[in-house]
Amino acid sequence: MTTVQPASRTQGGVAALFAAAVIAAGAAYVKPWESGGKVHTVPYRDIVGVLTVCDGITGKGVIEGKTYTKAECDALLQERVAEAYSHVQRCIKNPNLNQAVALTSATFNIGPSVVCGSTLQKYANAGDWNRACAELLRWNKAGGREVKGLTLRRIDENAVCLTPPQGG
């Protein structure tokens, strides 16, 4: 005999699987942009003076002078990508997988203001994904000046955001 799950339980399972997919894909996507192929196990100051370690990890848990293990770096990356995605979930309605990954990457790098309270949020939630994804291109400055690496990252995030998911 086959049983059917209640809709809310099934939807919760699908949402959890989607979140897990976004976090896994998001971490894989963020890592090369943040580390450039080199994981920094000792904290350093980024181009605007923010204490940074591992794969672009800043803020809580970054201790000046501490040497981080690969396992600690991997755990911090997963935690921070999940945190970034939580802002996307809260502020953006129904993104597809590629949109969610692109917005999670931008949120990881910039902070929640890119998806919460922004023009990007307005366009995305109105279903205008072309304009929403294009908004990513505006977020290419650090310390008030345009940074080539951020410009390249935003161009790539925009392309991912506009790419239909496989099978979709």
Side-chain angles (χ1 to χ4, degrees), residues 7-21:
S8 60
R9 191 166 171 191
T10 302
Q11 289 169 349
V14 170
L17 287 173
F18 185 81

Side-chain angles (χ1 to χ4, degrees), residues 113-146:
S113 61
V114 70
V115 292
C116 298
S118 64
T119 303
L120 185 155
Q121 178 190 26
K122 180 182 97 174
Y123 290 142
N125 289 341
D128 189 346
W129 281 99
N130 287 331
R131 290 174 79 181
C133 297
E135 283 294 307
L136 289 167
L137 302 171
R138 298 180 59 218
W139 298 80
N140 65 342
K141 295 175 182 62
R145 62 184 174 87
E146 186 175 328

Side-chain angles (χ1 to χ4, degrees), residues 24-161:
Y29 182 82
V30 162
K31 191 174 184 76
W33 281 112
E34 293 290 343
S35 68
K38 180 183 186 313
V39 176
H40 298 273
T41 57
V42 176
Y44 65 96
R45 299 277 172 188
D46 71 6
I47 63 173
V48 292
V50 176
L51 193 62
T52 306
V53 72
C54 302
D55 300 296
I57 306 299
T58 61
K60 67 183 189 294
V62 180
I63 302 165
E64 196 159 15
K66 176 182 174 174
T67 299
Y68 290 75
T69 66
K70 180 182 180 328
E72 287 173 313
C73 286
D74 290 345
L76 282 169
L77 181 62
Q78 289 293 313
E79 173 189 309
R80 297 303 167 80
V81 170
E83 182 181 326
Y85 179 57
S86 75
H87 296 292
V88 174
Q89 284 180 300
R90 182 170 50 85
C91 296
I92 304 296
K93 296 178 199 168
N94 303 315
N96 68 38
L97 180 62
N98 290 336
Q99 292 160 346
V101 168
L103 297 180
T104 297
S105 171
T107 304
F108 177 95
N109 183 243
I110 298 163
S113 61
V114 70
V115 292
C116 298
S118 64
T119 303
L120 185 155
Q121 178 190 26
K122 180 182 97 174
Y123 290 142
N125 289 341
D128 189 346
W129 281 99
N130 287 331
R131 290 174 79 181
C133 297
E135 283 294 307
L136 289 167
L137 302 171
R138 298 180 59 218
W139 298 80
N140 65 342
K141 295 175 182 62
R145 62 184 174 87
E146 186 175 328
V147 176
K148 182 179 180 182
L150 292 177
T151 298
L152 295 173
R153 181 175 182 163
R154 298 291 104 80
I155 289 168
D156 197 62
E157 289 168 344
N158 176 61
V160 169
C161 188

